[in-house]
């Protein structure tokens, strides 16, 4: 058994088939039938032969024909089943993989039995009411009946309930390890992975949902609205699409080698959903997805090509070319259905299918008349309905919200599958249900569930994720509001408003379009950005309240972020709309443990993580070195034309991932920075999303203009659990003051807090060190008593004390995706805390685009006063504004300024005077659960890595807390104060705030005289 299972017979080989040549993965464990039917043998009443009429692997398959019920075939060979995965890092399970082709649908079923020494151990049945190819992954222990045993040595397949028939088998793997999460049920094998709740894999459940009530008739208004939605969808799909050259289309089409067999069936190059390549990973072939792509065999490429043919057909003026394109499209459609991309087929796995299927749904809308003439309209519509999972919309939503992936990859497909229906009462009912489903998707959700949050953040993978948000907005979220607008199927004003807010917040926390590094998810490459047309398209859907035909606020935002001369710009200008000014102020995103602070055209982003919000998302091939992205990072996006991440000093090439500005991190060799990416449980795949065990991370804004951030940093034990720090950032106008205290580190390597790291366009670009310009390259300096620095982008850094390092040098790094060596010239500065650290701290101020006068003035006297910096509190008073900020890491007495005490660890800012105060507070603890951290510890007392998806609290709401703030003097609220109660407490005033979601609560007070 083990000899077969681990046989080192792996290679890639080429074969020739009619009109095609592809390279295939060859492995003795993959049963392909190029030369003979072996190892199959047939029972009486049946026969086996090799055929080139149909194939999924190679150019041939084995044909089985039988003429008596109960006929069968068998394979006598070690199955290779293992009850446990020998790789402790794996959660995949032993799985039987096979493909079977039926020239026509049959009654009855196939009965599969796995035997050991003639005794049946495990079995399952497989339905035969299909035509074309079908594939399956069947997990031995979960999906089969009986009890599989190691040492099984025989597979028997019998035809039951059908006396005569013909089938083709290909690409059988008797046992291989497949991800336990991803097996997918279908019409033929509804028992596979039946308990899954993954939205990618529940197609069968959705298909079976009952239709909502269907009206007896539809009105003319309903017909008009259905036609409006269908026409808008068609216009959207063809918008700005230009046809490809005919010769290029002919060449691509010929490459698929699609021909008809004598019996009217088709054959051609096998088409693969790219995720099917995961079948081979545990056989020792990790790169088969690339092989599929190089062979032009991927489903995504095939669908994209079909869309190109549809666009060319729509644009064709030449009748002969139009007829040729029609023939191409019909054959492409027949081949795709024949390959198993038909209703009720799961092909083994469909996880994350949507990314490959966008144009599976779009081309048929354009080619509907062609499909009708070919007799394919119904089959294609049913396939669209199946793969899009539109049956989900039949049932009323059980809870608010939906996955951003559904907006991105399912929404347009679902709408297209409904548009393809005849104009009947069923279609009207389906569209109503679709509208209800879409509308629910925009609803604000609790906990870490997807996707729209009350603060305007958009969640995916259990955290705010702008990169996925823009994909969801592009894929369907924005277009759906426009497509359905001004019809009876329109989304609600509430949902429309939620989407609008998410877009407006995005243009606040991005600059001009760039995502800050800490908000870039697993792609911190400086390229992530908002997409301007989202603002224009949603503007054209009108205002949420319906009062404006064009939403002027969104249109003005578009004009600022687009800076273009396109049709949208001309339209909005005709309506008298002008670009908005750059947003100004400070906003706190409690659901992201981040603060965005803006003035003029620049943005400062401060970001942390907590026991609820992961530090970084790291995948195989993505963000290998990004563990420090939210260790209290402070990123400035202030330069470039327009302002961008790349213009503001970031370059992925040569970037030192240990020196992310604002972070307190360990100086270790870059090779050791690479994440050790594991498959830690059955709730996740190969990924790393580490949590802290600290709940304190977030911010507070003051009068919407200034703010602060603080966090308790504790790195996960997977890497350096000895690293702890209390970090705070105070933001006033162009001044950013950063404090750190109680820094602990026992790991080797040396600890530092980074001031800046900027790409150098030119080696001679100066940095100014204590008033002296350093233009030489390379350059290094170490300053033991603090320093005043100006970076190459005109920002000043004032470090009152500490050992400061600054350098201009050629930095060597590693690519965050490929690990390839990279290099670039950078200027970098940091505060060195030493090796083993106990009770360490730091203090520095950043002044954005500081003038010479700023540097001289602040060099003489800093514009702030640190009133306290210890384990209980960081307290700072800003002299120009008179505002005092309090990062209170512990409850109890404060006794600084007018603040006497607080009842909870909290963030407080107090400003004002002349008989009036503004008190701003926040409880940064999201309170998804109470009590100690839910961490699990190993025998050495170290926190065990566990996925975010395995936590029981992830869908819990943010529970409210009562924060009592006692201030000196007698005060009363100035006007209504929802969420705040004021009462006298002797000569003091107790303010009790109801806090939730890490949001700011604020009250204006007047003195009682």
């Amino acid at each position: 058994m083990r000899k077969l299972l681990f046989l080192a017979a792996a290679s890639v080989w080429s074969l020739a088939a009619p009109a095609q040549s592809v390279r295939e993965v060859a492995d003795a464990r993959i049963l392909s039938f190029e030369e003979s039917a072996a190892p199959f043998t047939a029972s009486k009443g049946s026969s086996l032969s090799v055929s080139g009429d149909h194939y999924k692997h190679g150019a041939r398959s084995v044909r089985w024909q039988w003429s008596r019920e109960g006929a069968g075939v068998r394979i006598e060979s070690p199955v290779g089943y293992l009850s446990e995965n020998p790789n402790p890092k794996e959660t995949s399970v032993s799985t039987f993989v096979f493909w079977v082709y039926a020239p026509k649908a049959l009654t009855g079923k196939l009965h599969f039995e796995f035997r050991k020494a003639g005794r049946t151990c495990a079995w399952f049945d497989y339905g035969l009411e299909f035509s074309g190819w079908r594939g399956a992954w069947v997990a031995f222990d979960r999906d089969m009946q009986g009890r599989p045993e190691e040492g099984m040595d025989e597979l028997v397949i019998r035809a039951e309930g059908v006396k005569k028939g013909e089938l083709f088998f290909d690409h059988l793997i008797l046992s291989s390890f497949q991800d336990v999460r991803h097996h997918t049920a279908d019409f033929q094998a509804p028992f596979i992975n039946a308990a899954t709740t993954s939205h990618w894999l529940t197609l069968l459940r959705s298909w079976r949902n009952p239709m909502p009530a269907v009206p007896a008739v539809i009105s003319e208004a309903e017909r008009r609205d259905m036609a409006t939605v269908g026409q808008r969808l068609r216009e959207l799909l063809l918008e700005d699409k230009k046809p490809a050259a005919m010769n290029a289309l002919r060449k691509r089409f010929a490459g698929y080698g699609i021909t008809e067999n004598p019996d009217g069936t088709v054959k051609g190059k096998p088409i693969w959903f790219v995720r099917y390549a995961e079948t081979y990973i545990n056989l020792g072939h990790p790169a088969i997805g690339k092989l599929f792509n190089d062979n032009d065999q991927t489903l995504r490429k095939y669908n994209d090509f079909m869309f190109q043919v549809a666009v060319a057909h729509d644009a064709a003026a030449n009748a002969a070319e139009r007829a040729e394109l029609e023939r191409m499209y019909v054959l492409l459609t027949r081949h795709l259905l024949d390959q198993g991309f038909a209703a009720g087929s799961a092909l083994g796995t469909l996880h994350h299918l949507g990314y490959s299927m966008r144009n599976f749904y779009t081309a048929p809308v354009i080619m509907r008349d062609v499909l009708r003439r070919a007799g394919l309209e119904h089959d294609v519509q049913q396939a669209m309905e199946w793969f899009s999972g539109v049956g989900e919309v039949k049932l009323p939503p059980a809870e608010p919200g939906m996955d951003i992936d559904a907006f991105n990859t399912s929404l347009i497909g679902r709408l297209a599958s409904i548009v393809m229906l005849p104009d009947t009462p069923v279609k009207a009912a389906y569209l109503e249900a679709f509208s209800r489903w879409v509308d629910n998707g925009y609803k604000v959700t609790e906990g870490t569930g997807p996707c729209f949050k009350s603060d305007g953040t958009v969640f995916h993978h259990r955290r705010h994720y702008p990169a996925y948000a823009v994909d969801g907005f592009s894929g369907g979220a924005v277009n759906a509001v426009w497509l359905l607008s001004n019809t009876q199927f329109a989304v609600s004003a509430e949902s429309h408003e939620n989407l609008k807010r998410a877009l407006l917040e995005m243009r606040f926390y991005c600059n001009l379009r760039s995502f800050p590094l800490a908000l870039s998810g697993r792609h911190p490459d400086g390229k992530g950005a908002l997409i301007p047309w989202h603002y224009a398209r949603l503007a054209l859907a009108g205002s949420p309240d319906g009062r404006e035909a064009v939403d002027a606020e969104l249109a003005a935002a578009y004009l600022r972020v687009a800076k273009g001369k396109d049709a949208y710009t001309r339209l909005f200008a005709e309506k008298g709309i002008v670009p908005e000014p750059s947003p100004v102020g400070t906003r706190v995103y409690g659901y992201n443990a981040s603060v965005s602070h803006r003035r003029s055209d620049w943005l400062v982003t401060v970001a942390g993580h907590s026991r609820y919000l992961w530090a970084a998302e790291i995948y195989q091939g993505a963000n290998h070195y990004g563990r420090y992205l939210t260790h209290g990072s402070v990123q400035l996006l202030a330069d470039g034309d327009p302002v961008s991440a790349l213009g503001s000093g970031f370059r992925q090439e040569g970037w030192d991932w240990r020196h992310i500005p604002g972070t307190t991190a360990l100086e270790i060799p870059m090779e050791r920075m690479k994440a050790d990416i594991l498959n830690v449980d059955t709730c996740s795949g190969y990924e790393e999303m580490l949590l802290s065990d600290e709940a304190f991370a977030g911010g507070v804004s003051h009068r919407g203009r200034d703010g602060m951030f603080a966090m308790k940093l504790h790195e996960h034990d997977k890497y350096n659990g000895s690293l702890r720090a209390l970090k705070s950032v105070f933001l006033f106008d162009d001044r950013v003051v950063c404090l750190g205290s109680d820094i602990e580190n026992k790991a080797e390597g040396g600890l530092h807090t980074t001031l800046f790291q900027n790409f150098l366009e030119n080696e001679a670009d100066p940095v100014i060190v204590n008033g002296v310009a350093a233009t030489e390259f390379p350059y290094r300096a170490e300053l033991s008593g603090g320093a005043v620095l100006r970076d190459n982008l005109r920002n000043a850094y004032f470090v009152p004390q500490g050992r400061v390092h600054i350098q201009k040098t050629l930095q060597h790094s590693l690519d965050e995706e490929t690990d390839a060596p990279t290099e670039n010239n950078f200027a970098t500065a940091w505060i060195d805390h030493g090796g083993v650290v106990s009770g360490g701290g730091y203090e520095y101020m950043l002044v954005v685009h500081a003038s010479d006068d700023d540097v001289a003035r602040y060099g003489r006297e800093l514009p702030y006063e640190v009133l306290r910096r210890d384990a209980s509190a960081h307290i700072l008073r800003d002299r120009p504004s008179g505002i005092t900020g309090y990062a209170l890491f512990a409850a109890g007495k404060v006794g600084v300024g007018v603040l006497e005490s607080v009842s909870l660890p909290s963030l407080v800012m107090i400003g004002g005077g002349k008989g009036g105060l503004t008190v701003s507070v926040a409880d940064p603890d999201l309170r998804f659960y109470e009590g100690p951290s839910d961490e699990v510890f190993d025998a050495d007392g170290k926190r065990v890595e566990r996925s975010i998806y395995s936590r029981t609290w992830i869908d819990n709401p943010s529970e409210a807390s009562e924060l009592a703030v006692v201030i000196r003097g007698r005060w009363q609220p100035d006007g209504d104060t929802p969420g705040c109660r004021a009462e006298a407490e002797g000569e003091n005033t107790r303010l009790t705030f109801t806090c939730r979601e890490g949001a700011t609560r604020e009250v204006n007070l007047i003195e009682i005289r």
Side-chain angles (χ1 to χ4, degrees), residues 20 88 233 242 280 289 325 372 385 467 479 484 497 569 583 613 676 682 722 739 782 803 853 869 930 975 987:
Q20 70 161 354
L233 178 60
K242 296 181 179 179
Y280 314 103
L325 289 164
R372 184 180 297 122
E385 194 168 330
N479 283 326
L484 303 177
E497 184 65 47
T569 301
L613 304 172
D676 179 18
T682 59
S722 73
L739 303 180
E782 180 179 337
R803 190 164 57 252
D853 287 345
R869 178 166 62 95
E930 297 290 346
E987 294 302 310

Side-chain angles (χ1 to χ4, degrees), residues 573-862:
E574 290 170 3
K575 295 184 177 297
I577 301 171
V578 298
E580 67 174 2
S582 292
V584 171
T586 304
R587 296 189 185 176
V588 173
Y589 299 99
Y591 276 103
N592 193 51
S594 68
V595 174
S596 296
H597 179 70
R598 299 187 65 117
R599 294 290 190 275
S600 301
D601 291 323
W602 55 259
L603 163 71
V604 172
T605 302
V606 190
H609 65 279
S610 69
R611 73 182 194 177
Y612 313 112
L613 304 172
W614 40 259
E617 182 182 69
I618 301 175
Y619 276 25
Q620 291 176 330
N623 195 25
H624 290 170
Y625 306 93
R627 72 173 76 158
Y628 293 139
L629 283 168
T630 59
H631 274 221
S633 58
V634 181
Q635 185 181 14
L636 173 61
L637 295 180
D639 293 276
D641 186 17
V643 175
S644 67
L646 298 180
S648 300
F650 179 77
R651 287 294 189 281
Q652 204 264 120
E653 301 78 14
W655 183 260
D656 189 335
W657 299 100
R658 303 160 300 186
H659 281 286
I660 297 170
T663 62
T664 301
L666 198 63
E667 187 83 21
I668 57 176
M670 191 66 70
E671 291 77 10
R672 284 176 51 198
M673 278 286 293
K674 183 177 179 179
D676 179 18
I677 304 167
L678 307 174
N679 181 199
V680 296
D681 54 40
T682 59
C683 299
S684 61
Y686 277 91
E687 57 206 33
E688 179 181 289
M689 298 148 82
L690 300 176
L691 297 173
S692 172
D693 55 0
E694 297 286 359
F696 193 103
V700 64
S701 65
H702 185 69
R703 296 171 179 162
R705 183 170 177 83
D706 300 302
M708 59 178 290
F709 167 92
M711 72 177 294
K712 290 184 177 181
L713 173 65
H714 185 199
E715 188 172 349
H716 196 279
D717 292 334
K718 180 176 180 178
Y719 296 115
N720 181 16
S722 73
L723 174 57
R724 292 180 179 269
L726 301 180
K727 297 172 69 70
S728 61
V729 182
F730 301 80
L731 305 118
F732 303 100
D733 289 324
D734 60 354
R735 306 177 301 282
V736 180
V737 182
C738 302
L739 303 180
S741 74
D742 299 87
I743 299 175
E744 305 288 331
N745 174 61
K746 297 178 182 178
E748 295 180 358
L751 204 66
H752 60 261
T753 298
T754 298
L755 304 174
F756 63 83
Q757 179 181 186
N758 294 334
F759 169 70
L760 289 171
E761 291 280 357
N762 301 293
E763 293 180 354
D765 287 348
V767 294
I768 300 175
V769 181
N770 290 336
V772 178
T775 57
E776 59 266 40
F777 188 93
Y779 169 84
R780 285 182 174 83
E782 180 179 337
L783 308 163
S784 60
V788 176
L789 310 175
R790 290 182 75 177
D791 66 20
N792 55 307
L793 296 175
R794 299 175 293 119
N795 307 299
Y797 299 80
F798 299 82
V799 187
Q801 57 186 358
R803 190 164 57 252
V804 178
H805 292 252
I806 183 167
Q807 65 182 29
K808 293 170 59 183
T809 188
L810 176 64
Q811 287 186 177
H812 298 276
S813 187
L814 299 171
D815 186 275
E816 53 97 5
E817 294 182 351
T818 67
D819 306 320
T822 66
E823 62 181 30
N824 247 324
N825 294 334
F826 281 84
T828 306
W830 65 93
I831 300 169
D832 182 7
H833 303 301
V836 174
V837 182
S838 179
Y842 62 85
E843 172 189 333
Y844 69 93
M845 179 177 70
L846 156 65
V847 179
V848 180
H849 289 170
S851 67
D852 291 342
D853 287 345
D854 290 334
V855 174
R857 183 169 70 256
Y858 298 148
R860 292 190 296 271
E861 182 181 25
L862 292 171

Side-chain angles (χ1 to χ4, degrees), residues 72 129 132 204-205 208 264 312 344 350 368 388 396 475 564 637 736 793 798 824 830-831 957 983 994 1006:
E129 294 182 356
L204 183 62
R205 196 175 308 153
R208 290 172 170 175
L350 294 176
R368 186 174 185 180
S388 70
L637 295 180
V736 180
L793 296 175
F798 299 82
N824 247 324
W830 65 93
I831 300 169
E983 53 194 336
T994 301
I1006 53 177

